Amino acid sequence: MFINYLKIALRNIARNKIISFINISGLTIGLVCFFMIALYVYDELTYDRFFKDSDRIYRIVHENIEEGGAATLLTTPGPLAPVLNKDFPQVEKAVRIWQNLDLVVKNSNQIQYYAQDKHIYADPGLFNVFHIPFLFGNPETALKSPNGVIITDKIARLFFKTENVVGKVLVINKEDYEVTGVIRSLSHHTHLPQFEFITSIEPVEERYHFNSWLQGVGVYTYVKLAMNVNVETFQSRILDIADQYVEDELDNRGMTQKYFLQPITDIHLHPNYVKESGIHSKTAGLVLFSAIAFLVLFIASINFINSSLSLAFFRIKEISIRKTNGANRTQLVSQFVTESIVISVIAVCLALVFIYLLTPWFNEIIGKELNHSTLPVSSVLFFMSGVVLCVGFFTGIFPALLIFSFRPAQAIKGIPLTNININNQGIQRLSLRKILVIVQFVITSVFIVALLVIFQQINYMKNKDLGFEKEQILVFPVQTVEMCRSVKDNLDRVKQEFTRHHTVQSITTHLRSPGRMTHQNDVFVYRDGEKRKYWINMQFLDSDFLQTYKIPILAGADFTKNNMTQYILNEAASREFGFHTPDQAIGNHMSIFDWDGEIVGVTKNFHFWSLHYSIEPMVFIRTDHFFPEAVSLKLNTKDLRETMTFIENTFKALFPDQPFEYYFLDEDFNRLYKADVRFAFIILLFTGTAIFIACLGLFGLSLLTIQRKIKEIGIRKVLGSSIPGIIYMLIKEYSLWMITASVISWPIAWYVMRKWLLNFAYRIDIELWMFVLAGAMTLVIALLTVTWQAVRAATANPVEALRYE
Amino acid sequence: MIRLKDVEKYYSNKFVKTWVLRNIDMEVKEGDFVTIMGPSGAGKSTLLHILGMLDDMSGGEYYFLDEPVHQLNERKRTGFHQQYIGFVFQAYHLIDELTVYENLETPLLYKKVKTSERKSLIAETLDRFNIVAKKDLFPNQLSGGQQQLVAVARALIINPKLILADEPTGNLNSKQGLEIMDMLKALNDEGTTIIQVTHDEKKAAYGDRIIHLLDGYIDKIDERN
């Protein structure tokens, strides 16, 4: 029986070539999209799960509450991990990790390697928490020696051309280290930094105050809990853990510290701190993508249902004969369902081939390393067959149900198929197909509106006046301690050297450039004889900063060129500190650490951070105490190459041992919108796909409906209708469908896109023209699809159509 | 075997009932060869379709082997098709996408006949109708007479108790027509009940009873024996 169904199915596919092509290609494209997104979602959901026992590993974050506000920090005070290891049997191992940003590595062969973010300090327990396999060396002892370094295979090959390099020596930041272990480069599928070097944390404990509960920058703390530990109980034990050790000191400072466990498998999707480094996708995005995946597949399935429904009209005779030969309902349903499952299977196989071919390209777009080879085969098969069965079943069941609703006698009497009255439900059936097509185009139209809104918003963000000039600013990060000293000690000379060239207008040193992470700290403000504390964003800089970035001053003046510590606020900070007008702020004193100084000016607000965020209070501090992390040059040139040559030469002369690395601020700033641009691109991709599939379906549908009207067209032409008249008759209906679809899509698109825009503190308004344009696009695309068919039918010789009737 | 009591059939739209059949009382015994005659639009085919359970009645009672068909559900009726009834149509109604062999196989598949038995039944039938050489051809590769032959073969393959034939020879030339009629007669002699619809007096003569329909009523019944 099944073989018979299969045979019929394959013959039908071969017989209706165009429709089969439309069905299979539409479904294939839909499935490719669906599986790609499924792969992406799966990837996002499984971050850090490759670590052994990942369900028992937690990062500890802490909240610091004091007068002036609370701050959630991803780090904890240094003593936490040792205390957990010593006093808590629930903890299998706790480990501290700290990232070193300055890294210059050399070896005796004079090979050099500079990198930021590639070096971590860690406790020896690192490998008890994170199971990272060693290629060479012993994980138990590798971090015990203060001068031991663990490197990745990549670094080993770079320096030594081989991997087994245990015992060899590397010079890291001018100190000799002995390689004690070689590991494989870490997978990108983790929130951990992509480190290449690991050394012991002990030598830097003093420097970074890792032994203090109250001082210092803090350290990342990870714990692996013992088996069967109740996480909630443990969480409640550590919530106030600091009180057990330093309660008095905390009380004296009016501080409270709360500690929280964060499962590492959650970190990727739920970064609890907005400005945490790294690109973090959010759950909402995943839900949205999943919804898109289902919608695209849904559109493809609708095609399939629609063409099967239309084809069913042509098969009424076949089905009638089968009924008179004794087919019962189940048998007929099985036949239809088998046919659509066969098509689904073909589509899935093709989709798999395409996925295989397209994954590298898709990876490039979304900036990931999706890899299907790591997926568990059984669940993939399960998933695939689930999709096949669902799609097959739902697309098969509709035509089957249609078929049931008529009595075979009519078809057998030889009534023309077009006139068959299916239990008086013919009209309603037609409207089912109409509804399906409209639904398809509603979805497509929503996509188009979304696309317009997204592109407008991105355009707006890239072009909005940020309150400072980001064009023609070249920044080079100060990467090493050595260079930092050199810049700080020879600041005047550095500035003179660079400004010798006429295209370099000004130069300034500061912490991080706009768009990069800002520094936050406590400041004290003296106002009306009172000392108040605020937790605030700050930027250390020299007196040329405002001028270089062309930030306008509202009140007071720019920094004066002396050695005094001076403060300039932005408007938001001035308001935060309680000054009613910018002028009131001028002349007051404030301090950070022990550096007391006068507020000399207030600037207009400007966007230090992307337009996702509203403008926050910010304090500029001019002081001799800070260590610059970046140097910015304002250029004014048409001949960039010549200027660059000059800058590079000057750089090499000033800092002979340092790597010349730089970026342009506008490009760097636009990096903040990378996720949005990527999102827009993915939407563009799916919009294109959705339009294509929907048009494919419309094409098939018009092919079939117009075929059924061939006789009517013939009669009309014999009666004297003109060709344009017939074309108009044929496409009029489709135009109405498209207009209906657009109108229905508008409120949906408006609602969805308004939600999306809420992600941005500064956003465009959704305007009427976007809807109208989207509607017009939908209409034009759809009519282009249909008109070809209509023209063909209208220009055919009517005698052909009528001869056989 | 078949008993109709006051069967009627009409189509209604909003305002008008169009009567197709009214007050039909008839009885067919096993082994009968009944002919239904009448002018176009008299309701012949509709009656045949009701007898074959392809169409619903609007009213009246229909007993098939003492089962009240008018009260049966779809599943039961399909069961009757599979077991007792074979159809032959004027337009043959073979499935165009299937070969002769597969067309013959279809009713057996629906009846869930086992593979081995199916094969032997088909082989036997092909042999009996002398169409073994045609078994892999598609209907459009056959002449009209050959197609009708296959259609009859297909109706017979389930060994039905009742054959319903709707102008079985209407599309055939006279020689082919005679062959088909002779075959039906032979089947009748073996005990199969046959009900045919025809315009043709000569073909009608093969039956032992002729029911004349006129405007939906039974006009008269000719008993020939």
Side-chain angles (χ1 to χ4, degrees):
Chain A
M1 195 77 217
F2 179 71
I3 303 289
N4 186 273
Y5 291 152
L6 206 61
K7 206 154 57 181
I8 303 294
L10 290 173
R11 273 191 210 154
N12 269 324
I13 291 168
R15 208 163 55 100
N16 302 308
K17 287 198 181 63
I18 296 179
I19 298 296
S20 305
F21 172 77
I22 289 172
N23 280 345
I24 293 176
S25 56
L27 201 55
T28 304
I29 297 168
L31 285 170
V32 169
C33 278
F34 185 77
F35 286 137
M36 286 283 194
I37 298 181
L39 209 57
Y40 174 81
V41 171
Y42 177 82
D43 182 83
E44 287 286 294
L45 291 178
T46 52
Y47 259 66
D48 290 302
R49 281 189 205 269
F50 68 93
F51 286 117
K52 202 167 152 247
D53 304 323
S54 57
D55 53 330
R56 288 195 278 138
I57 307 176
Y58 296 82
R59 177 170 73 178
I60 299 182
V61 298
H62 91 288
E63 196 180 24
N64 209 358
I65 305 158
E66 52 190 313
E67 188 197 345
T72 305
L73 302 171
L74 302 177
T75 53
T76 69
L80 179 64
V83 158
L84 290 174
N85 278 331
K86 193 160 77 59
D87 298 345
F88 288 81
Q90 299 97 316
V91 173
E92 189 174 303
K93 201 74 192 178
V95 63
R96 299 170 297 170
I97 294 179
W98 184 243
Q99 202 174 355
N100 180 19
L101 293 179
D102 310 326
L103 182 68
V104 180
V105 187
K106 293 179 195 175
N107 74 345
S108 46
N109 299 336
Q110 294 305 312
I111 298 170
Q112 286 205 3
Y113 179 86
Y114 312 97
Q116 283 187 306
D117 318 341
K118 294 293 182 198
H119 176 202
I120 60 166
Y121 301 108
D123 282 324
L126 179 68
F127 303 107
N128 297 101
V129 176
F130 296 104
H131 183 79
I132 300 170
F134 270 56
L135 293 174
F136 303 99
N138 180 358
E140 292 299 317
T141 56
L143 281 177
K144 290 264 160 70
S145 128
N147 281 323
V149 61
I150 297 163
I151 59 176
T152 59
D153 52 343
K154 187 179 127 199
I155 295 299
R157 280 195 302 275
L158 176 71
F159 280 103
F160 305 106
K161 311 271 182 283
T162 165
E163 288 181 1
N164 188 356
V165 293
V166 172
K168 306 233 167 151
V169 173
L170 282 174
V171 183
I172 300 176
N173 293 347
K174 296 194 169 166
E175 280 176 53
D176 281 2
Y177 280 83
E178 184 191 331
V179 177
T180 53
V182 181
I183 57 174
R184 279 240 180 280
S185 290
L186 204 61
S187 155
H188 286 264
H189 208 197
T190 172
H191 76 284
L192 289 176
Q194 296 292 317
F195 50 78
E196 310 275 9
F197 300 86
I198 312 171
T199 60
S200 170
I201 201 166
E202 274 161 45
V204 292
E205 270 185 333
E206 291 282 320
R207 197 199 315 168
Y208 293 122
H209 308 287
F210 286 157
N211 42 20
S212 161
W213 284 95
L214 303 167
Q215 255 191 314
V217 284
V219 62
Y220 292 101
T221 303
Y222 291 89
V223 290
K224 183 187 236 172
L225 299 185
M227 302 246 228
N228 305 323
V229 167
N230 183 326
V231 178
E232 269 137 54
T233 320
F234 181 66
Q235 167 68 67
S236 63
R237 288 286 316 276
I238 64 161
L239 184 67
D240 299 313
I241 190 171
D243 292 348
Q244 294 172 30
Y245 301 91
V246 282
E247 192 172 7
D248 294 345
E249 288 92 328
L250 286 173
D251 284 350
N252 286 344
R253 296 177 179 223
M255 284 165 69
T256 322
Q257 294 181 351
K258 303 258 184 228
Y259 291 83
F260 302 98
L261 290 170
Q262 184 182 24
I264 57 160
T265 50
D266 270 9
I267 295 175
H268 178 71
L269 289 179
H270 305 284
N272 62 345
Y273 188 54
V274 281
K275 289 174 193 171
E276 187 185 16
S277 60
I279 298 159
H280 287 273
S281 24
K282 307 269 162 59
T283 328
L286 289 188
V287 171
L288 192 66
F289 277 144
S290 310
I292 293 173
F294 276 105
L295 284 179
V296 172
L297 191 60
F298 181 61
I299 292 180
S301 306
I302 286 183
N303 271 357
F304 199 4
I305 294 174
N306 252 339
S307 55
S308 314
L309 278 176
S310 307
L311 280 180
F313 280 98
F314 292 87
R315 294 179 64 182
I316 285 179
K317 187 186 148 204
E318 179 204 331
I319 301 304
S320 306
I321 301 171
R322 287 181 181 279
K323 274 193 168 181
T324 59
N325 276 299
N328 63 28
R329 282 180 178 226
T330 331
Q331 289 163 327
L332 285 177
V333 174
S334 314
Q335 185 187 339
F336 272 95
V337 171
T338 311
E339 284 184 24
S340 38
I341 287 183
V342 167
I343 290 185
S344 313
V345 169
I346 295 175
V348 165
C349 294
L350 285 174
L352 288 178
V353 173
F354 279 113
I355 290 168
Y356 181 78
L357 295 175
L358 290 177
T359 306
W361 176 74
F362 188 63
N363 277 340
E364 208 163 291
I365 293 173
I366 60 168
K368 272 190 172 289
E369 295 181 2
L370 301 184
N371 187 349
H372 14 74
S373 63
T374 56
L375 296 174
V377 177
S378 57
S379 47
V380 172
L381 283 180
F382 182 74
F383 186 65
M384 296 266 175
S385 27
V387 170
V388 166
L389 287 177
C390 282
V391 171
F393 182 74
F394 283 110
T395 48
I397 201 88
F398 279 101
L401 291 176
L402 167 73
I403 294 296
F404 289 144
S405 56
F406 72 94
R407 298 252 147 250
Q410 292 172 313
I412 288 166
K413 273 180 192 159
I415 295 170
L417 296 175
T418 39
N419 298 351
I420 286 181
N421 183 350
I422 299 164
N423 278 8
N424 290 327
Q425 287 177 358
I427 294 156
Q428 288 157 26
R429 293 291 161 182
L430 199 68
S431 64
L432 170 64
R433 285 189 302 163
K434 201 188 286 182
I435 288 167
L436 288 175
V437 171
I438 290 175
V439 167
Q440 265 183 323
F441 276 88
V442 167
I443 297 171
T444 311
S445 177
V446 170
F447 272 134
I448 296 178
V449 174
L451 200 61
L452 288 172
V453 173
I454 293 169
F455 273 101
Q456 283 295 315
Q457 171 70 19
I458 289 176
N459 213 15
Y460 167 79
M461 291 192 294
K462 285 193 168 167
N463 294 324
K464 186 178 191 299
D465 179 15
L466 297 173
F468 68 92
E469 275 186 35
K470 68 178 187 306
E471 290 75 25
Q472 294 231 26
I473 287 184
L474 178 142
V475 184
F476 42 82
V478 176
Q479 304 214 18
T480 60
V481 180
E482 203 180 334
M483 182 170 163
C484 182
R485 292 250 154 73
S486 173
V487 171
K488 190 172 155 63
D489 296 345
N490 308 304
L491 188 57
D492 290 339
R493 202 184 131 227
V494 169
K495 286 189 171 183
Q496 270 164 23
E497 287 297 321
F498 278 110
T499 46
R500 262 196 347 210
H501 200 276
H502 68 280
T503 60
V504 180
Q505 289 193 327
S506 65
I507 171 170
T508 180
T509 58
H510 48 90
L511 291 182
R512 292 178 196 143
S513 60
R516 300 222 164 182
M517 225 177 357
T518 53
H519 188 75
Q520 291 176 310
N521 213 329
D522 288 328
V523 293
F524 295 96
V525 178
Y526 304 90
R527 182 163 64 86
D528 308 330
E530 266 182 87
K531 180 181 176 185
R532 287 161 196 265
K533 191 159 93 170
Y534 297 93
W535 176 261
I536 210 152
N537 294 300
M538 54 188 47
Q539 170 76 290
F540 290 93
L541 32 74
D542 67 34
S543 47
D544 293 320
F545 186 86
L546 295 185
Q547 183 199 331
T548 307
Y549 278 85
K550 302 243 180 337
I551 297 169
I553 291 170
L554 269 186
D558 200 346
F559 296 113
T560 45
K561 303 210 183 255
N562 56 29
N563 297 336
M564 306 266 286
T565 298
Q566 290 177 331
Y567 292 87
I568 288 182
L569 314 178
N570 70 354
E571 245 183 302
S574 147
R575 207 166 303 130
E576 170 92 1
F577 295 159
F579 300 114
H580 296 296
T581 65
D583 290 314
Q584 283 184 5
I586 311 298
N588 287 293
H589 274 249
M590 58 186 287
S591 67
I592 172 168
F593 307 126
D594 300 325
W595 311 332
D596 190 69
E598 191 186 334
I599 299 172
V600 297
V602 175
T603 70
K604 274 180 84 164
N605 277 339
F606 68 97
H607 295 275
F608 206 84
W609 194 252
S610 78
L611 298 182
H612 295 97
Y613 305 102
S614 45
I615 293 174
E616 288 175 22
M618 160 83 76
V619 175
F620 298 115
I621 303 143
R622 198 219 73 83
T623 166
D624 286 345
H625 302 293
F626 93 101
F627 289 89
E629 290 182 9
V631 179
S632 295
L633 275 65
K634 173 80 185 177
L635 311 179
N636 181 12
T637 177
K638 293 222 165 64
D639 183 5
L640 189 62
R641 195 180 312 169
E642 194 235 330
T643 311
M644 286 311 298
T645 319
F646 163 78
I647 290 173
E648 184 167 359
N649 290 339
T650 314
F651 185 95
K652 289 261 163 74
L654 283 168
F655 317 108
D657 278 344
Q658 303 300 322
F660 179 58
E661 280 181 14
Y662 65 92
Y663 55 85
F664 285 97
L665 188 75
D666 46 358
E667 286 167 17
D668 190 65
F669 206 84
N670 283 341
R671 195 181 45 95
L672 302 174
Y673 305 122
K674 204 169 122 193
D676 302 306
V677 172
R678 182 187 295 160
F679 178 74
F681 195 83
I682 292 176
I683 294 287
L684 176 68
L685 207 62
F686 290 128
T687 309
T689 311
I691 292 175
F692 182 73
I693 298 178
C695 285
L696 215 56
L698 191 64
F699 179 81
L701 190 65
S702 63
L703 187 81
L704 293 166
T705 41
I706 290 176
Q707 225 166 59
R708 291 180 62 207
K709 282 189 175 170
I710 290 280
K711 192 185 163 196
E712 181 192 339
I713 294 167
I715 295 170
R716 280 176 188 272
K717 278 180 83 172
V718 169
L719 293 177
S721 171
S722 68
I723 290 176
I726 286 174
I727 296 176
Y728 173 72
M729 173 195 91
L730 291 174
I731 64 176
K732 187 179 64 184
E733 194 185 3
Y734 295 100
S735 316
L736 280 176
W737 295 6
M738 291 311 124
I739 292 167
T740 315
S742 294
V743 171
I744 296 173
S745 77
W746 290 349
I748 304 172
W750 180 80
Y751 177 78
V752 174
M753 291 326 287
R754 204 180 55 117
K755 282 226 141 168
W756 182 75
L757 283 173
L758 289 179
N759 285 325
F760 303 90
Y762 300 87
R763 53 188 175 258
I764 54 163
D765 292 323
I766 303 179
E767 286 169 50
L768 188 65
W769 68 265
M770 298 174 189
F771 296 114
V772 175
L773 181 61
M777 282 168 74
T778 316
L779 188 64
V780 168
I781 293 169
L783 287 186
L784 282 178
T785 314
V786 174
T787 306
W788 181 73
Q789 287 290 332
V791 169
R792 219 176 57 135
T795 51
N797 182 354
V799 180
E800 297 281 320
L802 297 176
R803 183 179 292 161
Y804 300 107
E805 291 290 337
Chain B
M1 182 186 203
I2 289 175
R3 202 150 42 90
L4 298 185
K5 258 172 85 179
D6 201 19
V7 164
E8 53 184 28
K9 172 80 180 177
Y10 53 81
Y11 296 103
S12 59
N13 55 29
K14 269 182 204 148
F15 307 107
V16 199
K17 270 188 185 176
T18 314
W19 292 95
V20 183
L21 291 174
R22 295 192 87 158
N23 300 340
I24 303 291
D25 289 298
M26 63 183 277
E27 205 174 335
V28 178
K29 297 211 166 55
E30 261 188 278
D32 281 359
F33 193 143
V34 177
T35 304
I36 302 172
M37 288 192 78
S40 286
K44 305 180 303 280
S45 295
T46 308
L47 180 55
L48 200 69
H49 290 145
I50 286 176
L51 288 170
M53 303 168 206
L54 296 180
D55 215 345
D56 286 327
M57 307 176 279
S58 311
E61 293 168 22
Y62 173 12
Y63 297 92
F64 185 89
L65 295 173
D66 298 326
E67 291 275 353
V69 174
H70 50 279
Q71 288 167 8
L72 294 183
N73 61 18
E74 171 88 20
R75 181 179 297 274
K76 246 334 196 346
R77 282 192 252 172
T78 307
F80 278 127
H81 283 199
Q82 287 179 350
Q83 243 184 315
Y84 301 115
I85 304 177
F87 290 91
V88 181
F89 301 96
Q90 175 178 7
Y92 331 131
H93 288 324
L94 298 173
I95 299 179
D96 295 333
E97 292 78 29
L98 301 184
T99 62
V100 168
Y101 184 97
E102 287 158 353
N103 263 295
L104 293 179
E105 191 181 26
T106 311
L108 300 176
L109 286 171
Y110 287 133
K111 215 178 155 183
K112 300 201 170 107
V113 176
K114 284 202 198 73
T115 316
S116 55
E117 198 184 333
R118 213 162 63 212
K119 280 185 177 158
S120 72
L121 267 172
I122 297 169
E124 199 179 293
T125 309
L126 287 168
D127 198 40
R128 179 170 160 207
F129 286 82
N130 220 354
I131 46 175
V132 179
K134 310 267 189 303
K135 75 175 168 65
D136 292 324
L137 297 181
F138 287 91
N140 57 16
Q141 296 168 303
L142 300 174
S143 74
Q146 288 166 337
Q147 288 191 39
Q148 190 61 298
L149 209 58
V150 176
V152 174
R154 188 182 58 183
L156 291 177
I157 201 162
I158 54 164
N159 197 15
K161 277 183 154 33
L162 173 65
I163 290 183
L164 297 169
D166 192 351
E167 305 219 31
T169 60
N171 283 4
L172 304 179
N173 64 34
S174 52
K175 184 170 165 281
Q176 289 170 329
L178 278 178
E179 279 173 19
I180 296 291
M181 288 315 294
D182 287 341
M183 184 171 294
L184 290 177
K185 185 67 195 160
L187 286 167
N188 182 240
D189 293 342
E190 287 165 26
T192 311
T193 311
I194 293 177
I195 301 176
Q196 69 159 343
V197 165
T198 186
H199 288 301
D200 187 334
E201 292 287 348
K202 249 200 275 175
K203 309 282 159 59
Y206 279 85
D208 23 61
R209 190 167 18 137
I210 301 177
I211 297 172
H212 291 274
L213 284 185
L214 188 63
D215 297 337
Y217 293 95
I218 293 183
D219 190 38
K220 58 173 179 174
I221 298 176
D222 283 347
E223 295 284 347
R224 300 184 58 87
N225 299 330

